[in-house]
Amino acid sequence: MPERRTILPLRTGLLFLAPAAVFIVAFIILPFFWVAVVSFTNRSLTGPGALHPHFIGLQNYARLFQPGTFLQPGQFGSSLLITGQFVLFSALIGQAVLGLFLAWFFYRREGWVKQTVQTLAIGAWIIPDVVVAFAWSAFLDYDRGTLNHILQAFHLGKVDWLLGVPLLSIILFNTWRGTAFSMLLFSSALGSIPPSHLETAEVNGANAWQKLKDIVLPLIRTHIVTDLILITLWTFNTFTPFLLTGGGPAFKTEVVSILTFRIAFKYFDFGSGSAIGMIMMLINLAFALVYLSLLRRQQGASR
Amino acid sequence: MFARPTRLLVALGALLVLAVPAFAQTTLTLTCRCVAGGVNDAEVQWIQKFVIPNFEQQMSTQGTPVKVTLNQFGGSDEALKQQYALDLSVHKGYDVMAFDGFWIPEFASGGLLKPLETVGGSAVTNWDGWSHISQGIQDIMSYDGNRYGIANGTDVRMIFYRKDIFQKAGIANADSWQPHSWQDIIDTAQKIKAAIPNSYPLQIDAGTNMGEATTLQGYYMLILGTGERPFMNGKWVVKSQGILDTLNFYKQIYNDYQLGDQRVQLVKDGRNQSFANFRDGITSMLVESDWFYRSVTKPGSEFAVANRDQVMGWAKMPAEKPGMGIRGQDFVTASGGTGWVLNPNTAHPQLAWDLLAFMNGKPARDAFETYQPTISARDDVPVPNNDFLTTTAKTLLPLTVSRPNNDNYAKVSEQIQRMTENVVSGQMTPQQAMDAYAAAVTQIVGAANTADLMTSSSN
């Protein structure tokens, strides 16, 4: 390994790091240990557990994984399954594929169509959650919603979006909401491909699919991995569907973040809520480790 | 260059000097789920037009001037409860808070509220108002032998129905309809459904989104009709024929015959939708508390029923079959109650108690009746000359049942809401939903505190 040359001496470097480190310790590391401790107690916000919380060992965890109830609606296992589907369809398939499609479709094109679509996509991404959720509630409403009015104008009948197909509704919502990020990331990745590669392929008679498969995808592989990991993490932790469905009906859209909220802040059961939080943190950690190791491997390969 | 900032400083200084006396005055804060022109509008009018001016006047004559401000909370009951729990847990919050009686056990056992005597001292013990409030009504805001607040009054529950729709559907005795069993209710609803196919004649609350309305207006009104309660002889009943019958009744209404609008029970804003449906005649039977009459359908409010006194009637909720209800009753009802509590973290405990005592004194309660007639907690404030309230109070109060004063109640109540949602949404059969309920409640209260009436009866 070559000798590292640093701009600052170690001590000065640490001094510069200190303010950030203080914040990270105060707001991330300490709360993490606090949550870890609480997850082994029966601590609650109201009732006897608020006044005299005590250690109950692994009971909170054991209850989450009880085989008899694990997969029942409103329980941890069922919530994990819902979250899995939500991440798979809205992030990995919805946002990433649609984002890649949009980026590729507008690659090396200019004009008002591109401007309009990109502006709309970015608009959907930057509007505050509550505003977006309100707009979508109006859009999806069964009796008075815009979407059902449009469907009826084409004699397609009404769909009970938020009650009949709630999971599909929040998947569509999240795809719409987050596609801009993947689109932007892939657009800039495509911009870094030397045009000569594609021009040469065109001269040799390659069609669009061949160009995408054999030239573009291999060249932007790093970006794809980055994108997939980031949107997986974000979607896994997102709380926004709550604003549309509240996790219902009958827990059909209760992703893990909403389950945690319900247990900890509606039922005031901090112990169980923290236990779910801990498991979520472990899952996030696993995602992050996979991400980092892939990134490292790629950096190694490109060196 | 220096002139301007200097002048600005002088001006600011002058402002501060002027402002200090205003800030020096003690401020007391009040909050309730009440919004001018919205939910519980009468409460706002009463506080702003009677309580605040008269209390401020009284205090300044006594030489201790105070300023009182009201914070209007427009969210749901559940959201308000959540706000209170979070505020109190960090020793903050409003000085005097509107409180639902059934929250008291949870908050008191969690140390978030303190007994009134602990906060307000001997002034509380010596308050002359206690002698005018019956023990039963004091108990609404008590836990473990201590008073935590003062109740305003109590309420009762019944079936509200639309005489005009009944007539249109050809129901006999539309003016004095009174079912005697659950089957009578179903029969009536089916006749209306047949006459007006796109209506949902019967709505009985269920599901988690309606919160405590599901438990008290819906589930309790049914389970009491089977002769059971959720908490009997010191144990939580987790499996019983009564629970199964109740869930089957829900299934008949929402799934088998589509007599009720299932969506209303499952969407986020369903309670208001149920009010709107009743107003519009889509729903012609709704089980609700007298608050629905006093406040929700009051002329001028959002859900006012046009021509109310002619078209809106009420009937007693029958037991499953005559004589099958709790204590062998033919008809059942359930009561709750609301009131006001003192924040134990208040900076001015004596003044806050003065305000609370003033709000529950005879003049203030008399004044409240002019904004909204209600079944008052004070025996020296007569039930006003209001046919509806006098009759319902006289008929239903002797039959009533209240919720257990137990610190696990709120958690069990949430499981009741889940159980009904599982059935109404069609996700589970009544048997499956009851099994899930049994498992969840056993986890909450411990197996030793549960009772399974199905096995004990077969033994």
Side-chain angles (χ1 to χ4, degrees):
Chain A
M1 196 154 176
E3 193 190 318
R4 282 250 175 109
R5 299 213 319 169
T6 55
I7 302 171
L8 291 172
L10 182 66
R11 195 168 293 178
T12 325
L14 286 178
L15 204 67
F16 273 99
L17 265 179
V22 167
F23 276 97
I24 289 174
V25 169
F27 292 110
I28 297 179
I29 313 254
L30 287 181
F32 173 84
F33 282 108
W34 176 240
V35 168
V37 170
V38 170
S39 75
F40 296 107
T41 70
N42 68 344
R43 189 178 187 86
S44 60
L45 187 58
T46 61
L51 218 48
H52 308 290
H54 55 86
F55 278 87
I56 54 169
L58 285 167
Q59 274 185 41
N60 286 326
Y61 293 90
R63 275 196 305 193
L64 290 182
F65 290 101
Q66 222 168 49
T69 57
F70 185 63
L71 287 174
Q72 273 180 8
Q75 300 288 343
F76 185 59
S78 142
S79 183
L80 267 184
L81 276 183
I82 292 169
T83 315
Q85 296 173 50
F86 180 62
V87 170
L88 179 67
F89 290 108
S90 79
L92 299 182
I93 295 180
Q95 293 180 6
V97 172
L98 189 61
L100 182 64
F101 171 79
L102 285 175
W104 175 238
F105 184 75
F106 291 121
Y107 176 55
R108 293 202 292 172
R109 279 178 212 213
E110 289 306 328
W112 64 271
V113 181
K114 177 177 179 174
Q115 301 288 340
T116 315
V117 171
Q118 288 200 335
T119 309
L120 287 177
I122 293 170
W125 186 46
I126 58 168
I127 302 171
D129 279 346
V130 175
V131 178
V132 163
F134 192 75
W136 270 73
S137 302
F139 184 62
L140 295 178
D141 189 84
Y142 181 63
D143 291 316
R144 294 172 289 270
T146 319
L147 186 54
N148 276 346
H149 275 297
I150 296 173
L151 288 179
Q152 281 177 306
F154 290 103
H155 302 286
L156 291 170
K158 290 206 283 192
V159 177
D160 198 349
W161 293 101
L162 290 176
L163 287 188
V165 283
L167 188 56
L168 177 66
S169 295
I170 63 166
I171 285 171
L172 289 177
F173 166 76
N174 196 49
T175 304
W176 175 87
R177 178 98 172 115
T179 297
F181 175 78
S182 300
M183 182 189 77
L184 289 175
L185 195 135
F186 291 138
S187 292
S188 72
L190 291 176
S192 68
I193 298 175
S196 58
H197 286 39
L198 292 163
E199 282 155 12
T200 313
E202 273 158 29
V203 169
N204 287 316
N207 62 27
W209 168 242
Q210 286 169 329
K211 282 189 285 180
L212 182 69
K213 180 171 67 88
D214 295 330
I215 299 174
V216 174
L217 290 184
L219 284 175
I220 64 168
R221 208 182 60 225
T222 335
H223 298 85
I224 293 177
V225 172
T226 307
D227 182 70
L228 291 184
I229 293 289
L230 283 179
I231 60 177
T232 300
L233 276 174
W234 289 338
T235 308
F236 186 77
N237 292 306
T238 187
F239 188 68
T240 320
F242 180 84
L243 300 170
L244 267 187
T245 64
F251 312 101
K252 283 180 195 155
T253 57
E254 197 174 66
V255 292
V256 186
S257 57
I258 299 180
L259 174 75
T260 317
F261 171 79
R262 175 165 63 88
I263 303 288
F265 291 102
K266 276 178 85 180
Y267 292 5
F268 301 142
D269 186 348
F270 286 172
S272 296
S274 302
I276 303 174
M278 285 303 292
I279 294 169
M280 278 180 82
M281 276 195 264
L282 289 179
I283 296 175
N284 281 331
L285 194 67
F287 281 136
L289 285 178
V290 170
Y291 172 56
L292 288 175
S293 74
L294 280 175
L295 211 63
R296 235 170 253 148
R297 201 179 303 160
Q298 278 171 346
Q299 276 169 352
S302 65
R303 198 165 283 161
Chain B
M1 285 302 278
F2 291 106
R4 268 211 194 143
T6 318
R7 230 181 282 158
L8 195 70
L9 274 179
V10 171
L12 272 177
L15 257 180
L16 269 178
V17 172
L18 286 175
V20 163
F23 283 124
Q25 196 183 19
T26 312
T27 302
L28 289 175
T29 53
L30 264 176
T31 192
C32 54
R33 179 178 174 234
C34 56
V35 176
V39 65
N40 294 328
D41 170 62
E43 207 101 30
V44 180
Q45 303 304 328
W46 170 65
I47 290 170
Q48 288 184 336
K49 292 188 183 143
F50 184 88
V51 174
I52 294 181
N54 288 288
F55 180 70
E56 285 180 353
Q57 167 105 48
Q58 176 192 311
M59 295 311 276
S60 72
T61 357
Q62 286 178 15
T64 44
V66 291
K67 191 174 159 25
V68 179
T69 57
L70 168 69
N71 180 279
Q72 302 175 27
F73 185 90
S76 65
D77 282 322
E78 283 69 30
L80 181 63
K81 179 185 172 196
Q82 192 179 15
Q83 182 74 54
Y84 284 165
L86 293 169
D87 280 353
L88 291 169
S89 67
V90 294
H91 308 293
K92 291 275 192 296
Y94 299 93
D95 296 318
V96 176
M97 303 178 285
F99 224 78
D100 200 315
F102 86 94
W103 299 343
I104 298 271
E106 242 189 303
F107 278 70
S109 65
L112 297 176
L113 289 179
K114 298 267 180 314
L116 276 184
E117 270 92 346
T118 313
V119 183
S122 59
V124 175
T125 326
N126 302 330
W127 186 50
D128 59 0
W130 295 124
S131 59
H132 291 288
I133 301 176
S134 76
Q135 191 58 47
I137 290 185
Q138 287 184 28
D139 285 347
I140 293 173
M141 305 294 282
S142 300
Y143 175 69
D144 216 9
N146 289 309
R147 295 184 283 238
Y148 285 83
I150 307 180
N152 300 327
T154 184
D155 55 10
V156 282
R157 279 157 184 78
M158 64 207 85
I159 312 174
F160 289 96
Y161 72 97
R162 289 284 297 261
K163 297 176 183 174
D164 52 338
I165 312 286
F166 272 46
Q167 268 154 6
K168 213 160 102 188
I171 307 291
N173 307 323
D175 273 331
S176 55
W177 177 72
Q178 177 58 64
H180 294 275
S181 66
W182 290 359
Q183 193 55 48
D184 281 358
I185 301 179
I186 298 252
D187 291 345
T188 309
Q190 279 182 321
K191 268 185 210 152
I192 298 170
K193 183 91 183 174
I196 314 168
N198 57 353
S199 74
Y200 289 106
L202 174 62
Q203 208 73 28
I204 298 184
D205 290 353
T208 51
N209 282 332
M210 288 216 188
E212 192 62 15
T214 289
T215 312
L216 203 55
Q217 262 89 282
Y219 187 79
Y220 250 87
M221 293 295 278
L222 296 174
I223 193 86
L224 291 174
T226 69
E228 295 178 14
R229 314 172 181 217
F231 188 66
M232 293 203 293
N233 305 323
K235 305 232 181 220
W236 294 98
V237 180
V238 291
K239 290 187 183 178
S240 71
Q241 193 55 45
I243 298 178
L244 270 185
D245 288 0
T246 299
L247 296 179
N248 268 314
F249 190 57
Y250 273 121
K251 182 166 167 283
Q252 286 183 314
I253 298 171
Y254 291 106
N255 306 93
D256 298 348
Y257 308 133
Q258 309 276 317
L259 299 172
D261 189 349
Q262 179 198 43
R263 302 186 76 254
V264 166
Q265 303 308 139
L266 301 176
V267 293
K268 266 175 86 185
D269 193 30
R271 186 113 185 260
N272 283 341
Q273 244 181 66
S274 77
F275 299 159
N277 282 352
F278 189 83
R279 173 194 63 197
D280 302 338
I282 297 168
T283 294
S284 39
M285 286 175 261
L286 178 65
V287 181
E288 261 295 343
S289 81
D290 60 77
W291 176 73
F292 182 67
Y293 174 88
R294 284 187 280 121
S295 184
V296 179
T297 58
K298 197 173 88 167
S301 65
E302 185 184 356
F303 303 111
V305 174
N307 224 351
R308 178 177 71 167
D309 294 343
Q310 276 72 53
V311 304
M312 190 166 146
W314 68 274
K316 290 172 282 184
M317 181 73 194
E320 185 174 357
K321 290 187 183 111
M324 213 175 144
I326 192 89
R327 302 178 291 233
Q329 290 170 196
D330 296 335
F331 301 100
V332 296
T333 188
S335 292
T338 56
W340 300 85
V341 299
L342 278 191
N343 187 335
N345 315 301
T346 175
H348 314 285
Q350 290 309 322
L351 293 173
W353 162 254
D354 286 341
L355 175 59
L356 183 64
F358 179 84
M359 290 167 71
N360 291 282
K362 181 166 161 56
R365 294 318 305 177
D366 276 335
F368 186 77
E369 296 292 334
T370 65
Y371 291 97
Q372 186 189 99
T374 175
I375 309 170
S376 180
R378 289 185 69 107
D379 58 13
D380 51 354
V381 176
V383 177
N385 190 16
N386 176 306
D387 248 5
F388 171 79
L389 281 176
T390 15
T391 337
T392 51
K394 205 180 291 166
T395 326
L396 295 176
L397 277 181
L399 300 176
T400 204
V401 165
S402 53
R403 288 163 285 190
N405 202 334
N406 181 296
D407 57 34
N408 277 321
Y409 170 77
K411 283 187 174 164
V412 175
S413 174
E414 276 148 5
Q415 295 307 325
I416 288 175
Q417 294 153 27
R418 276 185 64 180
M419 171 166 68
T420 59
E421 177 153 329
N422 283 333
V423 171
V424 168
S425 66
Q427 276 204 328
M428 291 189 187
T429 64
Q431 181 69 48
Q432 288 167 334
M434 184 173 80
D435 290 344
Y437 172 74
V441 173
T442 307
Q443 259 185 15
I444 294 168
V445 304
N449 298 313
T450 61
D452 178 348
L453 303 186
M454 310 276 301
T455 52
S456 57
S457 62
S458 61
N459 278 350

